[in-house]
Amino acid sequence: MKKVIILNGPNLNLLGIREPEVYGTTTLRDLEDLCYQKAFSHHIKIDFRQTNHEGELIEWVQEARGIYDGMIVNAAGYTHTSVALHDALKIAGMPIIEVHLSNPKERESFRHFSYVELVADHVIAGKGPAGYEEALEKLAEIMGARI
Ligand code: DQA
């Protein structure tokens, strides 16, 4: 069974109450449940995590090497600022799908650049929670998991 790690960055723990007009009303827990269901149907095992700390995110990326077969990352605000996260992702040694609930490229100009995009195999943005499901499908395809 293929294993996928799903990493969520800062402020995503507040989904549901955080700017619902931008991010919707789905909570992080709802999102996690959705991912578990999708992964189950694709015979994929997932590990779903969230942190507000850049260093922790980087440590999780480093630790994933050799353990997981693929990664989905919504680095939230660190997407647009973190060279260190970019460097860690570059040597993760597995396919990486970048996901965003909103479409940062259609928002403020400071969100238009992504350090994650430069090292991601695929980017999904602006599709809300369904983007996470699509990311799992895309990874299943890339990893050659049973679908
Ligand atoms: C986000 C988009 C980022 O620009 C923002 O900083 C977030 C969430 C998204 O999922 O739409 O925190 O990654």
Side-chain angles (χ1 to χ4, degrees):
M1 200 183 235
K2 300 287 184 187
K3 287 193 279 185
V4 169
I5 187 163
I6 304 177
L7 299 180
N8 295 283
N11 302 306
L12 293 173
N13 54 314
L14 297 180
L15 280 179
I17 53 169
R18 174 194 183 198
E19 299 180 88
E21 67 285 1
V22 177
Y23 300 112
T25 51
T26 301
T27 65
L28 190 68
R29 185 65 217 264
D30 295 337
L31 196 55
E32 183 173 359
D33 288 346
L34 197 70
C35 288
Y36 271 103
Q37 282 167 32
K38 192 69 181 179
F40 182 77
S41 71
H42 285 255
H43 309 278
I44 293 169
K45 192 171 180 324
I46 61 163
D47 185 350
F48 189 98
R49 303 184 192 184
Q50 188 275 332
T51 180
N52 290 325
H53 305 277
E54 184 177 13
E56 187 163 39
L57 201 54
I58 290 165
E59 275 167 10
W60 287 346
V61 171
Q62 289 183 4
E63 288 162 14
R65 197 184 167 81
I67 298 176
Y68 296 91
D69 303 292
M71 183 182 294
I72 294 170
V73 57
N74 182 352
Y78 292 137
T79 305
H80 318 296
T81 63
S82 184
V83 174
L85 178 63
H86 166 95
D87 289 344
L89 289 168
K90 196 170 187 177
I91 52 162
M94 68 189 76
I96 295 166
I97 313 289
E98 176 183 8
V99 172
H100 298 285
L101 294 158
S102 67
N103 186 352
K105 309 256 190 238
E106 290 177 352
R107 297 179 60 194
E108 305 95 319
S109 57
F110 62 83
R111 297 183 201 276
H112 292 186
F113 180 78
S114 167
Y115 283 102
V116 176
E117 185 182 320
L118 303 174
V119 288
D121 294 272
H122 193 72
V123 182
I124 298 167
K127 298 188 174 175
Y132 281 67
E133 295 184 288
E134 194 179 317
L136 276 164
E137 275 165 19
K138 188 74 193 168
L139 262 188
E141 196 183 301
I142 296 173
M143 298 182 310
R146 189 153 61 95
I147 38 181

